[in-house]
Amino acid sequence: MHMTFITRAGALAGALALAGCAGMGGKSDGAGMQMPGKTPADAAVAATWYNPPSEFPGICLTQFKDGSLRFDGGFAFFNPGRWAYDAATSELRLQLAPTPSLELSHAQTVLHQNLLRVEASKNTLVYAVKADTQAIGLGGFVFYRDTPCPARRG
């Protein structure tokens, strides 16, 4: 009787552990973190934002499905970064490498398209982003969504 109870309890514990892992946002489907809107062609990428060249070279912001983000062509001082998206509040959080001027340079949220707030203690910018959001403002530049970034060199 004890052996049957132990076997059943072990099976139940295993099932509960698997159910718990499934509820933790595991990446068993290979999808990783998602963003609303178009799905990029690169399976590792969740979203791209691009500031096309004008008086400065183009700057690419790439959000990877593993939660990391990278700037190419400019703003490299913000690397490495992390991102998260909360679908319930439609908030995109960009946590950037520590930069002393982050809060000061983004204090006027009205000047930075879709920027809701700056969480300076966490080096984080929080944006309102939905499926139809076309751009965000960062550091005085406008980054357009789903605009392909040029291939990296080097």
Side-chain angles (χ1 to χ4, degrees):
M1 167 133 166
H2 288 286
M3 191 54 136
T4 302
F5 176 76
I6 292 171
T7 302
R8 288 183 182 162
L12 177 61
L16 289 173
L18 287 174
C21 288
M24 291 174 56
K27 296 180 183 173
S28 59
D29 63 355
M33 293 176 53
Q34 298 294 313
M35 284 285 294
K38 295 180 184 176
T39 303
D42 185 337
V45 175
T48 57
W49 303 85
Y50 186 59
N51 173 262
S54 58
E55 59 192 87
F56 296 100
I59 304 170
C60 184
L61 166 58
T62 305
Q63 293 172 242
F64 295 95
K65 288 186 179 179
D66 67 359
S68 64
L69 66 84
R70 181 183 69 225
F71 286 90
D72 293 300
F75 287 173
F77 50 84
F78 284 140
N79 291 331
R82 303 285 305 161
W83 70 276
Y85 183 75
D86 184 343
T89 60
S90 299
E91 289 184 352
L92 171 62
R93 302 173 62 79
L94 302 181
Q95 183 178 21
L96 309 174
T99 307
S101 63
L102 184 69
E103 184 174 27
L104 180 61
S105 65
H106 291 82
Q108 298 289 331
T109 56
V110 71
L111 300 177
H112 293 79
Q113 197 164 1
N114 295 313
L115 181 61
L116 296 174
R117 65 186 175 279
V118 177
E119 296 176 355
S121 64
K122 298 176 185 176
N123 298 306
T124 300
L125 302 173
V126 181
Y127 294 89
V129 174
K130 296 182 179 181
D132 62 350
T133 301
Q134 296 189 13
I136 59 173
L138 197 152
F141 294 84
V142 177
F143 286 77
Y144 298 95
R145 182 183 199 163
D146 299 326
T147 302
C149 297
R152 282 183 48 187
R153 292 181 212 145

